[in-house]
């Protein structure tokens, strides 16, 4: 009788030296990550090495570590803080007490007052405090400072041990997860807070009653984003950040981070610019529009910042920003996904409430959609319009969606700007090292109602009573720096006077000479393309020799590749049909057309549910080996292919004088319409010289992506002067499967 093999952890008693050395190294880093049997084994090993076999008549002596059982209790306490410390961390901006979990109480683990001076081993936890062991009271102090102050950490669900160890080491060995900034940088943070607050106050004073969806209460976002832009360029040579966010604080971010000038925004406030020349253009409110500009860092480097336009449909911009990022990475040949990175800012209620967020997380690590990790920042106002957390979600945190892809989550008190900037740096470092999503939950508040004319006390009287008497983060941080001797009261006043003068001067200039507030929609890659159209005929014919070369390609594959026999027969019949002048069906015509586009040097990207084979088993653009499941795209082998991201790709000529063909990228999407079409639309924004196609599984299913169709594809040019060449394929069945498989209802696009 034969038995199937079973994976098994090598037993300790097998004395596998290599295994034991590997596990002992992990034990020295962090004992809590090992199973109880191995941890006890190594405790005994170290005890024997020390010469103390635990036979002392004073078991609570401070001269040596405790016996294995008590050390194990310490390990459990440390691990409890790592898992549960965030539950009682001081992340509430109003300082309201959060209940301490039982597992964080020393008494829960059997300790009493007499144990507090007893030394224990700490693994990685004690590295910054000299050699282990250290007294239990010091261990608890380190744990409190690291996990229960103004930063709450959720990483325990991450299964990748390298990621988890890296995060724990960064969190536990670097000043108890606290920054130690020099006076100059602390002044820099203060200036950023000044910029954030004074911008809002200036607009409120000059344009009272005008909606702007201010950032007041969440001003810490500005020094965080400033740190992100500077560090990304200076430390990692990132060339571009692609940003997406909804309306809350958008104008503040546009002017203080992205680089839209005071004059441009004041021109919009003054309604002094007739930016649209066509009768059908409608424009949009200023807090929906995008912008892009070059930012010069404190280190003298430059980074391009691009903020995507966004409708009122919160979170719809997320997949759009990711698609735009992917296209820019593709065009730059950024295969490591380290030169262009996406940053998506969310509101707390929308982040947990909108299903497109879960869809977007789901595509984060898929081959056809990954961008190498997204930096998510939740501006957590503790409220959504008028809805509080108890009515907004069933989960503990608004960020719990992120756990589906094991993204680390850092909760940080918005009233501690240094901690928030520190967390921003940690998140960037993690993203650049592991190329995965990471989430920052910036816990703050909203000083006004949903907008500046809304009375929030109607529905949240207690919360807004607290907000009304709360000083701004700028005021408290400025006082903190004065007490620390970092800056004088006059120094604080000088920053304020300088910034107010700059805004006054800009307003005067904008009123005297309005400034175009909208960037050129044809910027960079759109140069030479227009929205002009006519009914003039366009030549679309292809030479017979070219069609023969294309058809020959999809009728062959490598010798060691074995498709399904039915696919072999169909592919060979189609390949031969062109040479024999036989009838050509729709699927064959499509492949010939795409092949001709590829040979002209135009990249084609197609994604949708089942696009590789085709919903009706008609396309077979991607073949699958029946023995190995390897995939092969025949149309990528018509002739020599160009190299992505180089001069030897689009339209380039090889040594024989033939145009190098472009790549056909075909991806089977997850069962999502909203996020996937949003991604493809975003991709098309940055790649006008590619053919970007989204295919519905059935034409009718485009209604699952109706927000993207209505709010972006059909209206972006009128609203934001943004162009797209996205192509939709809406296949129909007409096979008696009912109305939901027979009509794409084209009136949706009018």
């Amino acid at each position: 009788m034969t038995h199937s093999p079973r994976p098994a952890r090598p037993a300790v008693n097998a004395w596998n030296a290599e295994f034991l050395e590997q596990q002992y190294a992990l034990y020295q880093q962090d004992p809590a990550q090992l199973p109880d049997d191995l941890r006890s084994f190594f405790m005994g090993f170290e005890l024997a090495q020390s010469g103390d076999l635990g036979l002392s008549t004073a078991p609570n002596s401070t001269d040596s570590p405790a016996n294995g059982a008590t050390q194990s209790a310490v390990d459990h306490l440390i691990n409890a803080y790592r898992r549960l410390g965030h539950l009682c961390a001081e992340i509430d901006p109003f300082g309201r007490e959060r209940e301490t979990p039982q597992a964080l109480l020393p008494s829960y683990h059997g300790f009493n007052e007499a144990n507090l001076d007893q030394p224990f081993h700490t693994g990685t936890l004690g590295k910054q405090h000299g050699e282990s062991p250290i007294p239990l009271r010091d261990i608890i102090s380190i744990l409190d400072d690291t996990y229960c102050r103004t930063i709450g950490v959720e990483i325990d669900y991450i299964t990748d041990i390298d990621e988890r160890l890296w995060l724990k080491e960064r969190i536990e060995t670097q000043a108890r997860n606290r920054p130690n900034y020099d006076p100059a940088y602390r002044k820099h943070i203060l200036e950023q807070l000044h910029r954030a607050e004074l911008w809002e106050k200036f607009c409120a004073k000059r344009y009272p009653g005008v909606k702007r969806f201010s950032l007041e209460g969440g001003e810490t976002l500005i020094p965080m984003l400033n740190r992100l832009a500077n560090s990304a360029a200076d430390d990692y040579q990132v060339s571009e950040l692609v940003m997406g966010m909804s309306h809350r604080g958008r104008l503040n971010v546009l002017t203080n981070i992205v680089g839209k000038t005071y004059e441009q925004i004041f021109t919009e406030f003054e309604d002094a610019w007739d930016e649209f020349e066509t009768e059908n253009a409608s424009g949009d409110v200023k807090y929906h529009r995008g912008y892009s500009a070059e930012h010069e860092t404190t280190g003298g480097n430059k980074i391009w910042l691009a903020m995507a336009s966004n409708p009122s449909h919160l979170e719809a911009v997320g997949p759009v920003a990711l698609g735009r990022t992917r296209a820019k990475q593709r065009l730059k040949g950024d295969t490591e996904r380290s030169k262009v990175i996406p940053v998506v800012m969310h509101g707390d209620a929308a982040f947990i409430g909108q299903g497109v967020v879960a869809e977007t997380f789901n595509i984060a690590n898929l081959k056809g959609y990954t961008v190498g990790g997204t930096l998510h920042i939740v501006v957590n106002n503790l409220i959504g319009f008028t809805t509080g957390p108890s009515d907004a979600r069933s989960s503990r945190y608004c960020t719990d969606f992120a756990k589906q892809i094991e993204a680390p989550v850092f909760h940080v008190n918005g009233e501690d700007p240094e901690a928030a900037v520190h967390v921003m740096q940690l998140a960037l470092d993690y993203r650049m090292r592991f190329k995965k999503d990471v989430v920052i939950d910036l816990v703050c508040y909203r000083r006004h109602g949903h907008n500046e004319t809304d009375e929030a006390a109607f529905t949240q009287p207690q919360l807004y009573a607290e907000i009304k008497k709360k000083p701004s983060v700028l005021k408290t941080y400025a006082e903190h720096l004065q007490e620390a001797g970092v800056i004088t009261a006059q120094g604080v006043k000088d920053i304020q006077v300088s910034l107010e003068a700059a805004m006054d001067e800009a307003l005067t200039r904008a009123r005297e000479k309005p400034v175009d507030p909208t960037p050129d929609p044809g910027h960079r890659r759109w140069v030479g393309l227009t929205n002009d159209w006519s009914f003039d005929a366009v030549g679309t014919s292809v030479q017979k020799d070219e069609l023969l070369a294309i058809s020959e390609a999809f009728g062959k594959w490598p010798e060691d590749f074995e498709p399904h026999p039915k696919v072999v027969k169909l592919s060979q019949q189609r390949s031969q049909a062109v040479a024999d002048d036989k009838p050509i069906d729709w699927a064959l015509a499509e492949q010939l057309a795409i092949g001709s586009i590829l040979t002209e040097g135009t990249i084609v990207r197609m994604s949708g549910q089942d696009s590789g084979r085709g919903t009706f088993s008609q396309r077979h653009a991607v073949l699958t080996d029946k023995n190995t499941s390897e995939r092969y795209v025949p149309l990528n082998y018509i002739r020599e292919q160009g190299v992505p991201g180089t001069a030897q790709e689009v339209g380039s000529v090889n040594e024989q004088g033939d145009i190098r063909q472009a790549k056909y990228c075909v991806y089977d999407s997850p069962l999502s319409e909203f996020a996937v079409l949003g991604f493809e639309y975003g991709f098309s924004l940055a790649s006008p010289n590619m053919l970007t196609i989204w295919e519905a599984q059935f034409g009718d299913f485009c209604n699952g992506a109706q927000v993207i169709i209505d709010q972006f594809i059909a209206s972006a040019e009128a609203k934001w002067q943004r162009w797209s060449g996205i192509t939709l394929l809406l296949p129909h069945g007409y096979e008696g499967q009912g109305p939901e498989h027979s009509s794409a209802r084209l009136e949706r696009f009018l």
Side-chain angles (χ1 to χ4, degrees), residues 609-610 615 671-674 677 694-706 709 729-732 737-745 748-749:
Q609 294 154 20
D610 315 296
T615 298
L671 199 64
S672 158
E673 290 85 29
F674 193 162
L677 180 54
W694 175 73
E695 181 179 51
Q697 188 177 57
F698 282 88
D700 309 71
F701 297 176
C702 69
N703 57 9
Q706 200 65 41
I709 294 168
L729 294 188
L730 307 177
H732 300 188
Q737 298 183 60
E740 293 201 9
H741 300 83
S742 321
S743 168
R745 301 194 181 279
R748 293 179 181 137
F749 303 92

Side-chain angles (χ1 to χ4, degrees), residues 380-393:
N380 189 342
N381 296 306
L382 308 176
I383 188 173
F385 205 148
T386 67
T387 304
S390 62
D391 294 316
R393 61 179 184 267

Side-chain angles (χ1 to χ4, degrees), residues 211-246:
K211 293 180 183 179
R212 66 183 189 281
F213 295 93
S214 80
L215 188 60
E216 290 166 276
E219 294 94 340
T220 298
L221 178 66
I222 297 304
M224 290 173 70
L225 292 176
N226 178 267
R227 175 70 173 215
L228 172 61
N230 288 331
S231 180
D234 293 342
D235 300 334
Y236 292 105
Q237 293 74 55
V238 173
S239 62
E240 183 166 357
L241 298 181
V242 178
M243 310 169 81
M245 71 179 298
S246 57

